[in-house]
Amino acid sequence: MDSTPNPSPLLAEVAAAIFAALPSEAGLTAEDVVEMLEAPPKPDMGDFAFPCFRLAKALRKAPPKIAADIAAALPAASIVESGQLAGPYLNVRVNLGKAAALVLPNLASGSTELAVTRDEKVMVEYSQPNTHKAFHVGHLRNVCLGDALVRLLRADGYEVVAANYLGDVGAHIAKCLWWFLDHLDEAGRQPPDRARGEWLGEVYATASNQLTSWQEAAKGGDADAAAKLAAAKVRTTEILQKLESGEPTITAVWEKTRQWSLAEFDEIYDWCGVVFDRVFYESEVGEPGLAIVAEYLEKGVFVESEGAIGCINEEVKHMPFFMLRKRDGTGLYSTKDLALARLKFEEYAIDRSIYVVDVRQSDHFAHVFLTLHKMGFAQADLCEHVPYEMVELPSGPMAARTGTVILFSELRERMVGHLTENYLAKYRGDWPDEEIETTARQLALGAIKYGMLNRDVNQKIIFDMEAWMAVEGDTGPFVQYSAARTASILRKAAAKGLTLSEATIANAETVAASLDQPEERALVLRIAELRGAVHQAAKTFRPNVMCTYLLELAKSINRFSNSKQCHVLSSEGDLLQARLLLVTAARAAIEWGLARVGIEAPARM
RNA sequence: GCGCGCGUAGCUCAGCUGGAUAGAGUGUCGGCUUCCGAAGCCGAAAGCCGCAGGUUCGAAUCCUGCCGCGCGCACCA
């Protein structure tokens, strides 16, 4: 699991050549050599660098001497064309034809799979929005991250179950329904035709704001506000109890309104290209959770404290008591998490259970897993929380209550509108309207997903819509642009009757030997890093690793596309075929790579 | 107070399983379109890698302490 299960064939070949030149006393395996290979600081120094520091002890020689000895012993006629000494480093240059033959044909012939299977099933739980609340950009980071992890893990050989966990019960629902039923008239209860979930979110925000302002006024001695607050609390508690007992009238309202939110979530996920295999609902784990609490209280694993029931986890020093049942006998988020954790393993026989939830809940999940462990739940150690930092606006943290949020619908409209007007409008009449629409969506999504993912998970993101809409530099649309150019070259070539032949794929080494430009060499080497990048991103749960790679790949493609010396259409013979092979593989690599982080590559833009 | 995270170029960030002269985007300045897309390419200026110790042949990277900022810490989710 730690080493790359299926390293790039190029890397393996280079390592094999160096390994063959290594004295046996070095004590290294060929796999060790793969791990040690790195890229020299400048491309003109070589294609791969092999640092010899670590061998000094075993060989009892100075690193530069070791590098020289290896260079002298390199096997002839291997992938390694020449070795160049640079102090303690041995820099090697590979034979470009051989290298190209190792990395390009598979991609060019449509085989983009990494051909790894691990016989390990992983569940990734993410998104977890609450019904009756608005969906905003803050929620989007989680969706982008979770979806990317699902795709990356699948590419890295795991069987993945993508799971969502919807918050369809709880105090926020009671507040929302309280306002909906008691403060809106018949007409006011009619939702709009579209964006009903957001509309419901406004109802909730109104209720929440009213309660907060009454609370503050009451603190200031306002008796009227205090009375209203008390009445509201009685009413929301009543609503909550009626919901829990399944009282028909309230339950019908809950089901109807809940459906409005659910329908909107479906539309959002659809637009984002996100698919879940299983959706859990809080409403299905409430009772099982309370049953667990009763069972383990009985067994003496859980204890009572100030009327509440919980588990003592000394490991969490600042707050060892993990509450699982309130004084009034009702459960909490934590209660349901115990039942949900168990349900996941029972239902899917998974080997690992991953929770993508923001970093503020790190303590919560530490408690959940410790508690499961104390319950004797065998799979407790197979659960893992993947935390990530929050998204804020330039004006500060987002808060639905104060209205300082960017709702999903607004984000979508503004980005699609901006991209259409500024970049795609010129194609009107030339392209089908439908393609312009689709492309705008792909680019908006590329900007959003790349922006959300191209940052380490423990870095806060300041979401500045203006900045994100400027699609230059380190952005999704930049990467998409380079992909579109490869497609464009292939399109133009095909129009001239120039196509990649089967013979080229079969004879790649000979044909590709005609490649001789530095941009071509750099592109081949960059494409060879694709597998490693996917594996690294999946292993560490950090899609930003993949974004960094994609940016480098895009730059390599642009340099190639921009170079007069690498012109494809005006090439002939083997060189033409070699370049068609390179462009076809580059297109496949960037398209597939983008897809690993949930981004589509338009054919033109 | 305790716990977690962040602090690298004017700005936003990579690099952090220790290794070559610390990289990218953006901004600034200067170049490149008779030839596959200028949403592009090339170049320049720009950094006591928060501070102080330690480990090491070698530290942005590991350890310790400190400073600054953010987040979390029982009846919400």
Side-chain angles (χ1 to χ4, degrees), chain A residues 183-214:
Chain A
H183 294 269
L184 298 179
D185 57 20
E186 190 56 34
R189 281 195 282 270
Q190 285 305 312
D193 290 341
R194 298 172 59 190
R196 293 180 165 186
E198 281 185 7
W199 179 82
L200 207 50
E202 282 173 36
V203 175
Y204 164 75
T206 307
S208 179
N209 282 333
Q210 182 58 261
L211 290 171
T212 308
S213 72
W214 280 343

Side-chain angles (χ1 to χ4, degrees), chain A residues 371-392:
Chain A
T371 302
L372 288 167
H373 191 83
K374 283 168 189 162
M375 284 162 55
F377 184 64
Q379 295 100 328
D381 299 337
L382 306 176
C383 299
E384 190 172 352
H385 174 215
V386 176
Y388 63 91
E389 266 291 350
M390 309 304 293
V391 179
E392 295 185 2

Side-chain angles (χ1 to χ4, degrees), chain A residues 292-293 296-297 300-304 309-311 324 338 371 375:
Chain A
I292 288 174
V293 174
Y296 288 87
L297 177 63
V301 178
F302 297 165
V303 297
E304 184 265 329
I309 306 300
C311 184
L324 294 163
L338 296 184
T371 302
M375 284 162 55

Side-chain angles (χ1 to χ4, degrees), chain A residues 295-360:
Chain A
E295 181 185 345
Y296 288 87
L297 177 63
E298 178 82 10
K299 288 181 175 167
V301 178
F302 297 165
V303 297
E304 184 265 329
S305 167
E306 295 176 31
I309 306 300
C311 184
I312 306 282
N313 297 312
E314 297 292 352
E315 296 88 341
V316 184
K317 284 183 214 150
H318 52 282
M319 186 57 232
F321 185 72
F322 185 45
M323 188 181 295
L324 294 163
R325 192 171 84 192
K326 295 186 278 186
R327 219 179 349 226
D328 65 9
T330 60
L332 299 94
Y333 186 44
S334 53
T335 321
K336 294 167 195 146
D337 258 332
L338 296 184
L340 178 62
R342 205 168 62 177
L343 180 59
K344 287 175 174 177
F345 283 94
E346 281 170 0
E347 202 173 311
Y348 286 94
I350 48 176
D351 301 295
R352 289 172 84 186
S353 185
I354 288 160
Y355 297 72
V356 182
V357 182
D358 77 70
V359 68
R360 295 176 304 185

